[in-house]
Amino acid sequence: MHPLTFAEFEPLHRMAERMSRGLCRRLGLPAYDAEDFAQDLLTDFLARLPGFNAAQGELGAFALTCFRHHAALLAHRTHRQRALHHPASLDDPLPGGTTVGAVLSEADGYGAWMGQQTDAFADVNRRLDLERIAGVLTEEDAPLCAALARGDVDPARHAGLSRTTAFRRVREMRLRLCAAGATPAA
């Protein structure tokens, strides 16, 4: 491993800081995130330092390559995190010229911002459907329904039934649900 002196490390530290500030600008992040990015870049560089061979190139070029690759990874992670946690911004424009934030009421809450349905009539209809369906299912159906809802690999075994009995019960439940007016989801 190449031992680093302070004189060698200081320019690399400045390089990591410059790259992290640029990364924050490109990603539209606040400036205080640059210090965290610089630490990530330097940590990755130090982890890769044993792979450096002075006979093949300069330390600065090696560090720059490490910083660029890790900065690309950090940018990808940031984009992925934004997509997962905030699929829509309140400032996103809608076709009518308004924004998402202008259309949502405070009563709709965070779920509406995340793309969940906010139709009050659909909620009432869903609640009525669930009440109607709950009246059709029996107590002996409950363990099998719970095992099916959990996605168990072998729901019959988890419900304490043979496979034949479980398939028969599912068929009977489907018939009762259809008779009650429940339509299949898919």
Side-chain angles (χ1 to χ4, degrees):
M1 181 173 140
H2 180 79
L4 280 179
T5 64
F6 183 76
E8 290 175 319
F9 184 74
E10 185 57 29
L12 300 178
H13 185 259
R14 286 194 308 268
M15 184 188 308
E17 286 179 334
R18 268 193 319 273
M19 188 164 284
S20 64
R21 284 193 303 267
L23 187 61
C24 283
R25 276 193 307 274
R26 281 192 308 276
L27 295 174
L29 294 172
Y32 57 80
D33 283 338
E35 187 175 327
D36 292 336
F37 283 149
Q39 288 177 2
D40 283 344
L41 293 174
L42 288 169
T43 303
D44 180 67
F45 164 71
L46 291 173
R48 295 176 187 277
L49 190 59
F52 172 66
N53 185 352
Q56 291 181 340
E58 294 183 20
L59 182 63
F62 177 77
L64 184 61
T65 302
C66 290
F67 292 160
R68 283 182 179 162
H69 289 179
H70 198 66
L73 178 68
L74 291 172
H76 176 71
R77 284 181 186 164
T78 303
H79 286 299
R80 186 178 64 213
Q81 185 179 13
R82 281 182 181 166
L84 288 173
H85 295 293
H86 302 288
S89 170
L90 293 177
D91 297 325
D92 285 348
L94 293 175
T98 62
T99 63
V100 173
V103 174
L104 297 176
S105 70
E106 199 169 314
D108 291 335
Y110 183 69
W113 181 36
M114 295 304 290
Q116 294 176 353
Q117 199 172 26
T118 59
D119 185 10
F121 292 109
D123 288 342
V124 169
N125 286 332
R126 192 176 312 110
R127 213 167 326 148
L128 290 172
D129 288 343
L130 287 173
E131 286 176 12
R132 184 175 58 231
I133 289 169
V136 171
L137 297 175
T138 64
E139 237 180 87
E140 66 180 13
D141 296 330
L144 182 58
C145 289
L148 290 168
R150 280 191 308 265
D152 290 341
V153 175
D154 190 3
R157 185 173 55 89
H158 288 282
L161 303 171
S162 70
R163 287 178 57 117
T164 306
T165 305
F167 280 119
R168 182 179 47 78
R169 288 240 184 108
V170 167
R171 187 179 65 241
E172 290 171 356
M173 281 190 283
R174 282 185 180 147
L175 290 173
R176 284 185 274 147
L177 291 171
C178 282
T183 58

